[in-house]
Amino acid sequence: MDNLELKKIAAEARKDIIEMVYSASSGHPGGSLSGVEIAALLYFEIMDIPSFTDPDRDRFVLSKGHASPLLYSMLCAKGVVPKEELKTFRRMGSRLQGHPDMKKLPGVEMTTGSLGLGVGAAVGMALAGKTDKKNYSVYCLCGDGEIEEGSVWEACMSASHYKLDNFILIVDNNNLQIDGEIGKVMNPYPINEKLAAFGFDVVTAEDGNCFDCLRSAFGKLTEKNGRPKALVAKTVKGKGVSYMENQAKWHGSAPNENERDQAVNELDMELARLAEEEK
Amino acid sequence: MSEDIATREAYGLALKDLGAVNDKVVVLDADLSGSTKTSNFAQAYPDRFFDMGIAETNMTNVAAGMAACGKIPFISTFAVFGTGRNYDAVRQSICYPNLNVKIACTHAGLTVGEDGATHQSLEDISLMNGLPNMTVFVPADAVEARAAVFEAAKIDGPVYLRFSRGKTPVIYPEDHVFIPGKADVLRDGHNVAIFACGVMVSEALKAAELLYGQGVSAAVINVSTIKPLDKETVVRYAQKCGNVITCEEHSIYGGLNAVICQTLAEECPTPVRAVAVNDVFGQSGKPDQLMSHYHLTAMDIAKKYKEFGEK
Ligand SMILES: Cc1ncc(C[n+]2csc(CCOP(=O)(O)OP(=O)(O)O)c2C)c(N)n1
Ligand SMILES: [Mg+2]
């Protein structure tokens, strides 16, 4: 897909994320916004998903389940979730639970929310694929704070032990967790070296909010060599909403009406710019 | 009654004050210090506060090691991660060797609200109750929460403290004395004994008022120590009232209802009805909507009384 189209999808997704969190008066904008380009590139260019029930489809697991608005924005863009339904996010009876629920919403590949568990489940999907001699790949997005969980590394160990070159771990390296900078709270660096030591082919995307940069990084991770893949994407938490960028406080708080308006304004301007470019 | 206060708020303030009088107290958190309110302690005593990152199992084992060296660690995170994620570490590294670690968790139960089922722990009391050497406190309000923190520090062994996210009514006067292991009779009555813990205590008091309006005399007993259970008070009130209702923001299995039924089955068989979450997971929603949906309100408690039939 061309970059312009992807950028439009990204800006729309950001608006959806803001509207969801605003209408729920709760939720996690920061880590949803940082992963938009990663998810958009996967859903609209890289992954092959003829339908969400096709057993041969590529799979996306959002291990950092608190970024559910990101996943829902993608499922909306894919036509699985009607735009109207986004307003039900986090409300009683909604399919759009605070953290993704695979039994409530088709298209959610794995129920997540307790950090560090989705990575292992994604490895399980990749292992099942290998066992059944299928060609699908499993993409798993996890947080850079999330990788402090030991279970992430157990999952990595097993991915490499079972030679799962169909498993691609993406670390959303926005450098922030709740209590502050990851290096100050509980330093997980160096991330690339650790993943390499666990047997992964590792590539860095120096700008994880840039489609070209991500595309070229993913392009280096396609070799069927029996090694699992990892992409460390250096992103900006809160990306696309000026006052949220790089601010830990926007990890898990909702904008008020003024803040919502400002965010939507900025994103509308971005969409207008893109429309201009298209002409 | 003064303004509503969350028990987690009281926890954070008490922890800081405890730190001032007991320099063996250390606090560990798992990237949630702003939410659990251990940030109060962290600011006052930065050299006795350790953020362990998003790694609850390791936090639990590290606390065990610090306790083995004479510290009194309080470990905090959400109840679902502080009792479930790290369960084996609590069992093997803390309870079996009977080490002096306090597992002080916030955001217990359905009143977590919008985060949904993954974050609503409805099994934590059950998990912690099942462990030998463990003491289990479920404070009913901010006053009791504060007192429970200080009492926990006096106990030489593992203690689980369960705190809530949302603001709840303050039931006790500030000078209330919390006695560990003692159930507190808040209201006397003779038709039904309502045993409650945590946020359900204030609901039970409201239910007793509703029942009073219907000519039913309900006793309300705050069971803030679930383990060891105050069997004497439980049996005495079951005998006195002849009917028992248990109320908890927890699964129907393994919590307050379970320990009370067990006690009464052996010592004083009595009809018991449970107000609890009936073996299902929660979901996203506003706390009060969830409490209604899962039948955990004063009205639900009062309705339960009808199930006992004519007496
Ligand atoms: C096991 C577990 N512990 C704690 C939490 C609470 N929590 C939710 S998000 C978060 C921080 C996540 O940081 P990071 O992985 O860097 O995510 P991002 O920056 O991408 O939002 C924490 C501690 C959780 N959901 N699960
Ligand atoms: Mg992060």
Side-chain angles (χ1 to χ4, degrees), chain B residues 12-280:
Chain B
L13 296 174
L15 198 56
K16 182 180 144 205
D17 294 345
L18 176 66
V21 296
N22 191 334
D23 62 9
K24 286 193 201 151
V25 171
V26 294
V27 176
L28 290 76
D29 202 297
D31 194 30
L32 287 169
S33 61
S35 297
T36 63
K37 303 298 168 191
T38 61
S39 49
N40 288 288
F41 185 95
Q43 271 154 25
Y45 307 105
D47 50 349
R48 283 192 275 147
F49 174 81
F50 305 94
D51 202 321
M52 300 307 292
I54 312 170
E56 297 80 7
T57 304
N58 186 52
M59 170 170 77
T60 307
N61 289 317
V62 168
M66 293 184 89
C69 296
K71 301 290 181 201
I72 306 176
F74 277 69
I75 64 174
S76 286
T77 175
F78 294 171
V80 75
F81 310 127
T83 65
R85 182 52 158 273
N86 59 346
Y87 180 75
D88 198 41
V90 175
R91 182 183 189 274
Q92 316 287 3
S93 303
I94 295 176
C95 286
Y96 179 35
N98 198 13
L99 286 168
N100 197 10
V101 177
K102 316 306 164 189
I103 299 154
C105 292
T106 63
H107 295 65
L110 290 172
T111 48
V112 162
E114 289 84 349
D115 270 350
T118 54
H119 286 53
Q120 293 161 348
S121 82
L122 299 171
E123 318 80 25
D124 53 313
I125 298 177
S126 170
L127 287 170
M128 297 298 102
N129 257 349
L131 292 167
N133 294 327
M134 184 67 90
T135 296
V136 177
F137 292 153
V138 184
D141 75 350
V143 172
E144 206 172 45
R146 178 182 178 81
V149 172
F150 283 88
E151 290 301 328
K154 289 185 201 158
I155 295 169
D156 185 14
V159 178
Y160 176 56
L161 297 117
R162 186 190 216 230
F163 302 117
S164 304
R165 172 184 182 229
K167 291 185 175 181
T168 45
V170 177
I171 295 163
Y172 289 110
E174 243 168 79
D175 59 357
H176 168 70
V177 179
F178 163 70
I179 306 169
K182 196 92 192 81
D184 186 36
V185 181
L186 285 168
R187 175 178 177 133
D188 213 342
H190 56 263
N191 294 129
V192 57
I194 306 177
F195 294 98
C197 63
V199 302
M200 293 306 289
V201 174
S202 58
E203 292 301 313
L205 286 168
K206 280 186 243 163
E209 204 50 44
L210 290 173
L211 286 167
Y212 179 76
Q214 299 159 23
V216 178
S217 160
V220 176
I221 301 107
N222 171 20
V223 190
S224 44
T225 307
I226 310 270
K227 189 184 178 187
L229 183 69
D230 180 358
K231 292 185 181 177
E232 190 274 322
T233 303
V234 170
V235 170
R236 185 154 48 86
Y237 269 81
Q239 256 160 4
K240 177 173 177 182
C241 299
N243 294 308
V244 164
I245 299 174
T246 62
C247 313
E248 61 202 303
E249 189 198 8
H250 185 269
S251 164
I252 195 165
Y253 294 127
L256 181 64
N257 177 263
V259 294
I260 285 185
C261 285
Q262 212 166 2
T263 299
L264 294 180
E266 280 196 12
E267 302 189 18
C268 172
T270 309
V272 179
R273 292 291 178 276
V275 172
V277 179
N278 201 1
D279 199 28
V280 289

Side-chain angles (χ1 to χ4, degrees), chain A residues 29-51:
Chain A
S32 297
L33 293 169
S34 62
V36 166
E37 280 77 14
I38 295 165
L41 192 68
L42 287 172
Y43 274 105
F44 289 90
E45 185 170 307
I46 293 179
M47 290 198 296
D48 183 13
I49 306 176
S51 89

